[in-house]
């Protein structure tokens, strides 16, 4: 996934979860933050951030904030839409015969439905994708804010497994150097408990490390 345009700025503050104030080319600019998580350990005053300008008519803000360099020097992509975009690219190159994004299953839209031809017939897969932007001591953690929606999706994956699907909970790691994601029990113990129930039920937990540059993220 590559951004068509990218601009470097300096982070100043985050008045609310939707917008941030940055310094861009010597002036203050209000920008949209493409991540509703907390990102408190990332978005610190004075840190380097990168913006894109989608050019969508009628927008209140010109720029989206999509990447930030942590105090450790590691670059993070924090665009909440990036994990599904890079996963779609990755699945297109895998050996699935059919890939359908935003698949309606039960009361949810699961991120991807896939099919693969096997000697026993057509195998059906459901994959829910989560983006990991929280790193602590070299390990990834999810979530960085409570997510009842995430728990609901895990329950759906457990049910899908019971109904004969291959069910996958996939974590796209939006930084270099991290290969594993653990449940962030202090933030949302219910998510961690649901994740362990899913693992016990046969749902596959998969980690997708990425290489991140200011204008690029790739699995």
């Amino acid at each position: 996934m590559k951004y068509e345009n990218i601009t470097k700025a300096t982070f100043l503050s985050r008045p609310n979860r939707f917008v941030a104030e940055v310094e861009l080319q010597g002036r203050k600019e209000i920008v949209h933050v493409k991540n509703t998580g907390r990102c408190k350990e990332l978005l610190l005053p004075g840190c380097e951030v990168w913006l894109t300008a989608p050019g969508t008519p009628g927008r209140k803000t010109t720029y989206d904030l999509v990447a930030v360099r942590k105090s450790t020097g590691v670059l993070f992509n924090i665009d909440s839409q990036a994990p599904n975009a890079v996963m779609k690219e990755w699945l297109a190159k895998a050996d699935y015969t059919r890939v359908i994004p935003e698949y309606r299953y039960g009361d949810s839209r699961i991120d991807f439905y896939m099919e693969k031809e096997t000697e026993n017939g057509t195998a059906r897969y459901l994959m829910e994708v989560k983006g990991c932007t929280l790193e602590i001591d070299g390990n990834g953690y999810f979530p960085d804010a409570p997510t009842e929606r995430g728990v609901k999706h895990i329950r759906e994956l457990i049910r899908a497994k019971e109904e004969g699907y291959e069910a996958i909970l996939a974590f796209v790691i939006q930084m270099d150097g991290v290969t594993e994601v653990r449940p962030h029990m202090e933030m949302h113990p219910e998510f961690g408990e649901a994740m362990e129930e899913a693992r016990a039920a046969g749902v596959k937990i998969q980690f997708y490390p990425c290489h991140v540059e200011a204008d690029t993220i790739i699995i």
Side-chain angles (χ1 to χ4, degrees), residues 66-195:
V66 296
V68 54
R69 190 176 302 281
K70 195 176 181 180
S71 57
T72 57
V74 177
L75 189 62
F76 285 64
N77 178 294
I78 63 167
D79 182 352
S80 60
Q81 295 177 337
N84 280 40
V86 294
M87 182 58 72
K88 185 177 180 181
E89 292 176 349
W90 189 87
L91 290 173
K93 297 177 182 178
D95 58 348
Y96 296 103
T97 54
R98 192 180 185 196
V99 177
I100 301 176
E102 294 292 314
Y103 186 77
R104 173 66 70 179
Y105 176 78
D107 295 327
S108 303
R109 284 193 180 275
I110 301 298
D111 289 321
F112 292 99
Y113 168 83
M114 300 94 75
E115 290 181 358
K116 184 184 293 185
E117 298 305 321
T118 71
E119 59 183 18
N120 297 320
T122 302
R124 302 178 301 162
Y125 298 78
L126 286 178
M127 173 188 279
E128 182 64 20
V129 178
K130 303 298 180 188
C132 174
T133 60
L134 176 61
E135 175 267 330
I136 303 172
D137 296 331
N139 292 303
Y141 287 85
F142 186 93
D144 82 334
T147 171
E148 296 300 333
R149 184 169 174 265
V151 173
K152 177 185 176 185
H153 286 156
I154 291 179
R155 303 288 184 210
E156 296 282 27
L157 289 177
I158 293 173
R159 185 159 71 92
K161 179 63 179 176
E162 293 170 350
E163 293 181 355
Y165 291 85
E166 292 295 329
I168 303 167
L169 178 60
F171 290 94
V172 173
I173 303 171
Q174 294 172 256
M175 71 208 80
D176 283 272
V178 174
T179 59
E180 178 185 352
V181 179
R182 300 174 181 177
H184 194 195
M185 299 299 289
E186 292 181 6
M187 179 58 64
H188 195 183
E190 287 183 11
F191 184 89
E193 291 162 4
M195 188 171 160

Side-chain angles (χ1 to χ4, degrees), residues 30-49:
I30 300 297
V31 301
H32 173 59
V33 180
K34 293 194 73 177
N35 189 311
T36 57
R38 300 188 177 182
C39 300
K40 287 184 176 181
E41 76 291 344
L42 295 175
L43 295 174
L44 300 174
C47 72
E48 296 176 339
V49 294

